[in-house]
Amino acid sequence: MSSEVVRLEKQGDVALITIDSPPVNSLSQPVTSGIFDRIAEANADSSVRAIVLTGAHENFIAGADISELQNLADGKAKLDTKNVGRLTGKLDELEANKKPVVMAIDGFALGGGLEVAMAGHWRVGTTRCRCGLPELTLGIIPGAGGTQRLPRIVGVQKATEMMLTSTEARGKEALDLGIIQEMVEPDKLLIAAVAAARKLADGQAKPVRASQLADKIGTADDARAIMQGARMIGGDKMRNLIHPEMCMDAIVCGVAEGYAAGVKREAENFAKCLASPQAAGMIHIFFATRAAPKVPGVTDQKLEPKKIERVAVLGGGTMGSGIATALLQAGVEVALKEVNDEFLQAGRGRIDGNLQSRVKKGKLAPDKYEQMMARLRPQTDYAGFDKVDMVIEAVIENIELKQGVFVDLEKAVRPDCILASNTSTIDLEVIGARTKAQDRILGTHFFSPAHVMPLVEVVRSKHTSPQALNSAIALVKKLKKTPVTVGNCVGFLVNRIFFPYGQTALLLVDHGIDPYKLDKAVYDFGMPMGPFRMSDLAGVDVGKFAGGILAKAYSDHTYISTLVDHLFEAKRFGEKTKIGYYKYDGKKAEPDPALAGFVQKARADAGNPKPLALSDAEIVERVLFGVVNEACRCLDEGIAIRPSDIDVACVMGMGFPAYRGGIMKWADTLGAKYVHDKLSAWHKAHGPVYEPCAYLKRKAEKGESLVK
Ligand code: T1G
């Protein structure tokens, strides 16, 4: 018997069971029942002495079906507590199976996929196999024995680290850790697995029953100490989260009270996590990240993206060198052009430094580093630009300069070469105004540091061709980053929707709220830092420049405080001058009592408005609802394609907590009406920066979701 997703075929006395459920062999209900039905058939067949389980399409199993988990987390389906732990029970039966079961792992065995594999009696992996328990990236924990079997295979320390950081053991590391017993080249996998199965059946090899392994599990006190260490390392990153603790609790329970108690606790904790808003938020971001590169009318038109193998980067400053680094790491040849040799060498040095730091961290092999640097061609002219497939301009934010550069580029490159700008604020049509190339001009707005941050805003003007856009999106995916396609407006998406964040924070300070209390409230909510600390990081001067452009572009709904001007005049530019909103001893930020003087001046300039007394929660709403409102404007204007794109962009571009699902998912938990009514009240009290937009008004009136 076979089903279309799990088939059984016999190789002599060995039953080969193959999971074939594209795209990633996830453990949907049909796959899960198919696996155990085929195993039961193999057991019932007296001619079968052993079983091999493997996956088709060069992958094993990518874990539970996350769309099924999403329905449960969003409350669209009810979690039947009898179901939780059912897979664990089936895997315990598998582990106790009389006939040996060998797992043949090529590609990924993740989450439930690795849990299935660990219940087998022997694991053969390929050199490219990827074994991990990444459930915590979804706001949940392993729910099918992973918190018990992995510590027994690799030890509590390594297992805890792998689960809490969602890191994979690949190939040789999986072999060294004992996750797989044999490692072979992909084309030898099934031969080796069938041979292993026969050896087990003949008693020539001893089955590995992970739940019974005891040599690496250590004592309960050891385990507790390991968790304490993990909390120290996790530090503030674990604030507001429940699933890391739930995971550690299940691990320790299993060490202290044994496997059976451990899986029971795991099931209880798994259910608690799945019911938490954090799981709903993180699963939302999982799918949102995969939806973002899909642009209706562009990526669904069967347009073949242009092969981009050579890119010229103009400007070797922080951004240009970061972009060049990202390109080199993705195997792209890079021509780095600067205006003179001094700047060129500095840019080359930044690129070298970026790559060297990865070599030092053991994340980049020295020979790969050499190959990358060999693909870099520094120059101060346009020689060879007729051979590049794309140019990414990253010169200073000066309109005349950029316009001139694009005129020169149009002459130097081929007519099909894509011309991208990394501008963060200037209108693309203005940049290309003196060219005839508007159809192949677009924005690739990287976030600093460009070789690290996962987000790239791919900006299209009304002239940008689908082909050019499609090719740019494909390039960003090649860089292993997430492209979010946005419209051409001042600030594009992230910088635009976050300008009310800074402005309303200043409004509250002008109304008597202590800036350090405000920063802490926003930090405790889950942002990586408060708005004032972030301003010091980016530079108070930079904020003044960019803020001025945004305030001019959106002058009908801004709030201007003079606090920034007073700090600017006093040359308090933030971290780079060791003084801004905070004072700096190295990287450590300390409140500065002298700030009060500047705040008083700004308050006086604002007419000393009646002070507000706000709770932390009220501060967070007053600072973030303006962002929600501007995001709604961006949806209304078509600057953003879908609400979930805004969520991805906020998480990846501004560090908005993924466990809250992004700004729109979070606002949706409060409801459009709640947000709208609060903004209306603040609009009356404080002016246009809070005026709710038409889109939000419509959603509030109709009681519609902000994320659908
Ligand atoms: N369930 C459902 N769909 C999935 C999926 C999954 N587990 N994994 C991927 N997809 C979809 C994805 O949405 C996309 O769809 C397509 O597959 C390709 O994905 C019981 C409870 C496997 C490394 O966390 O890390 O097991 O956009 O673009 O870059 O204890 O997908 O094409 O329509 O990412 O080659 C634990 C999640 C689940 C692994 C492949 N497992 N997936 O990366 O392709 S919880 C995970 C990934 C669990 C157990 C618990 C990656 C990948 P579409 P992709 P990729």
Side-chain angles (χ1 to χ4, degrees):
M1 259 286 275
S2 275
S3 70
E4 67 283 1
V5 290
V6 183
R7 61 174 178 267
L8 183 151
E9 55 200 294
K10 282 168 59 175
Q11 292 199 1
D13 55 356
V14 174
L16 176 59
I17 298 175
T18 305
I19 303 159
D20 187 353
S21 179
V24 292
N25 292 340
S26 58
L27 289 170
S28 60
Q29 205 286 323
V31 167
T32 308
S33 52
I35 289 169
F36 296 107
D37 289 350
R38 300 298 89 73
I39 288 175
E41 286 152 28
N43 283 336
D45 181 338
S46 57
S47 70
V48 167
R49 296 198 308 133
I51 299 164
V52 170
L53 177 65
T54 193
H57 314 294
E58 299 176 356
N59 283 311
F60 189 64
I61 300 172
D65 187 309
I66 304 174
S67 41
E68 289 174 7
L69 293 174
Q70 186 173 39
N71 290 334
L72 291 166
D74 283 348
K76 290 201 190 84
K78 184 112 184 60
L79 181 64
D80 174 349
T81 43
K82 287 199 301 308
N83 274 343
V84 182
R86 177 171 292 173
L87 179 57
T88 308
K90 297 297 283 180
L91 294 179
D92 288 346
E93 287 172 22
L94 190 158
E95 190 179 66
N97 204 55
K98 282 205 176 20
K99 294 182 181 177
V101 182
V102 171
M103 303 291 173
I105 304 169
D106 191 12
F108 40 68
L110 298 173
L114 182 58
E115 289 171 307
V116 167
M118 290 191 290
H121 303 119
W122 195 264
R123 282 165 292 284
V124 183
T126 63
T127 48
R128 62 190 182 193
C129 74
R130 299 168 51 182
C131 301
L133 295 176
E135 284 86 344
L136 275 80
T137 59
L138 300 169
I140 53 178
I141 67 170
T147 62
Q148 306 305 313
R149 284 196 171 91
L150 191 61
R152 286 167 172 75
I153 292 173
V154 306
V156 174
Q157 176 78 43
K158 183 63 181 172
T160 302
E161 178 201 315
M162 285 180 70
M163 284 182 254
L164 294 188
T165 60
S166 294
T167 40
E168 300 170 358
R170 299 190 176 196
K172 180 82 173 48
E173 188 188 8
L175 180 68
D176 294 345
L177 287 170
I179 294 175
I180 57 177
Q181 279 66 49
E182 286 177 57
M183 181 174 79
V184 295
E185 288 305 324
D187 61 345
K188 299 282 186 300
L189 178 62
L190 291 185
I191 296 165
V194 168
R198 289 200 173 105
K199 270 199 201 136
L200 288 162
D202 295 342
Q204 288 172 6
K206 196 167 167 306
V208 177
R209 290 191 170 83
S211 66
Q212 296 162 20
L213 296 176
D215 60 328
K216 292 185 183 175
I217 197 69
T219 68
D221 285 347
D222 296 343
R224 290 189 189 97
I226 287 166
M227 301 315 155
Q228 209 37 40
R231 288 185 193 99
M232 299 280 284
I233 294 168
D236 274 354
K237 284 197 183 68
M238 288 173 149
R239 70 185 187 284
N240 302 335
L241 299 178
I242 63 163
H243 55 301
E245 281 300 333
M246 292 280 107
C247 185
M248 293 190 282
D249 174 63
I251 296 168
V252 171
C253 175
V255 176
E257 301 171 37
Y259 173 80
V263 288
K264 184 169 174 298
R265 179 69 60 81
E266 176 191 83
E268 290 159 4
N269 291 359
F270 175 83
K272 286 178 195 158
C273 291
L274 190 55
S276 74
Q278 294 165 13
M282 295 175 86
I283 292 171
H284 171 73
I285 290 298
F286 174 86
F287 285 118
T289 304
R290 285 155 182 82
K294 295 169 186 163
V295 179
V298 177
T299 56
D300 55 3
Q301 302 300 308
K302 296 191 175 34
L303 293 169
E304 189 52 40
K306 181 184 165 53
K307 267 174 96 59
I308 295 179
E309 290 165 335
R310 286 179 204 80
V311 176
V313 174
L314 268 58
T318 307
M319 290 310 288
S321 56
I323 294 167
T325 306
L327 290 161
L328 291 168
Q329 288 179 160
V332 176
E333 282 186 39
V334 176
L336 175 71
K337 180 185 178 299
E338 255 293 2
V339 288
N340 61 48
D341 204 51
E342 181 203 346
F343 287 6
L344 186 63
Q345 291 318 313
R348 188 188 182 286
R350 289 185 192 96
I351 296 167
D352 188 64
N354 292 340
L355 292 174
Q356 279 287 5
S357 74
R358 285 177 62 78
V359 174
K360 286 190 194 101
K361 287 178 201 156
K363 294 190 170 169
L364 179 65
D367 62 325
K368 292 270 184 274
Y369 154 77
E370 299 293 345
Q371 288 164 17
M372 289 177 186
M373 288 306 287
R375 281 199 292 270
L376 175 64
R377 197 181 69 242
Q379 58 192 83
T380 55
D381 57 19
Y382 285 112
F385 270 50
D386 58 331
K387 294 189 178 48
V388 302
D389 306 310
M390 182 173 182
V391 179
I392 300 179
E393 168 270 313
V395 301
I396 53 171
E397 288 289 90
N398 172 295
I399 290 179
E400 288 68 35
L401 175 63
K402 287 187 190 288
Q403 287 182 332
V405 159
F406 274 70
V407 169
D408 295 345
L409 282 174
E410 188 178 25
K411 293 178 197 138
V413 301
R414 295 193 313 258
D416 67 326
C417 176
I418 295 169
L419 304 178
S421 170
N422 178 58
T423 183
S424 55
T425 51
I426 302 173
D427 184 325
L428 290 176
E429 292 184 56
V430 170
I431 289 176
R434 292 165 48 197
T435 74
K436 292 186 179 55
Q438 293 278 15
D439 63 325
R440 54 198 169 101
I441 288 177
L442 48 81
T444 48
H445 179 219
F446 289 77
F447 285 72
S448 186
H451 57 297
V452 174
M453 294 290 275
L455 175 67
V456 178
E457 287 178 333
V458 181
V459 190
R460 57 178 162 180
S461 78
K462 56 176 179 291
H463 306 296
T464 307
S465 73
Q467 178 57 26
L469 187 61
N470 194 43
S471 304
I473 289 168
L475 173 72
V476 171
K477 288 170 73 173
K478 184 175 180 177
L479 301 181
K480 295 204 178 339
K481 295 180 182 289
T482 297
V484 173
T485 298
V486 300
N488 178 34
C489 67
V490 174
F492 308 134
L493 182 62
V494 172
N495 288 341
R496 171 174 170 182
I497 66 174
F498 270 87
F499 92 75
Y501 178 68
Q503 292 194 352
T504 50
L506 287 162
L507 182 149
L508 295 183
V509 168
D510 285 354
H511 284 69
I513 300 297
D514 177 82
Y516 303 124
K517 170 182 165 68
L518 187 147
D519 264 9
K520 183 165 184 326
V522 174
Y523 174 79
D524 289 346
F525 166 81
M527 292 299 283
M529 56 184 75
F532 299 115
R533 178 70 190 82
M534 189 174 74
S535 178
D536 273 1
L537 177 66
V540 174
D541 52 334
V542 171
K544 176 175 163 56
F545 169 74
I549 292 175
L550 289 158
K552 188 158 160 267
Y554 305 105
S555 55
D556 63 337
H557 58 280
T558 58
Y559 175 83
I560 306 293
S561 165
T562 58
L563 180 54
V564 177
D565 298 328
H566 291 312
L567 292 179
F568 182 79
E569 280 142 31
K571 297 199 180 340
R572 293 173 67 117
F573 297 160
E575 270 189 23
K576 58 187 161 188
T577 53
K578 301 255 176 285
I579 190 87
Y581 289 94
Y582 295 81
K583 60 185 178 189
Y584 294 85
D585 171 12
K587 277 271 184 200
K588 191 163 173 16
E590 293 288 342
D592 173 21
L595 181 70
F598 294 96
V599 169
Q600 266 142 31
K601 277 188 209 161
R603 283 178 187 156
D605 297 340
N608 285 316
K610 184 166 170 297
L612 292 168
L614 301 175
S615 68
D616 286 357
E618 287 168 325
I619 286 174
V620 168
E621 289 186 351
R622 284 179 182 244
V623 166
L624 285 176
F625 281 8
V627 178
V628 178
N629 196 29
E630 198 63 27
C632 289
R633 286 196 178 94
C634 288
L635 287 165
D636 226 4
E637 295 167 24
I639 295 297
I641 294 170
R642 53 179 82 86
S644 64
D645 280 7
I646 296 171
D647 288 332
V648 172
C650 289
V651 167
M652 293 188 174
M654 288 297 283
F656 190 93
Y659 60 83
R660 295 189 189 272
I663 191 81
M664 300 304 280
K665 180 78 174 172
W666 167 69
D668 197 47
T669 62
L670 302 169
K673 183 170 178 0
Y674 178 84
V675 176
H676 173 270
D677 293 352
K678 286 283 185 182
L679 284 166
S680 295
W682 302 334
H683 173 218
K684 288 191 189 68
H686 304 296
V689 70
Y690 279 123
E691 183 173 14
C693 69
Y695 177 101
L696 182 58
K697 191 167 183 295
R698 288 197 302 274
K699 289 289 178 182
E701 283 164 355
K702 294 177 188 159
E704 286 177 351
S705 162
L706 287 172
V707 288
K708 287 284 166 296

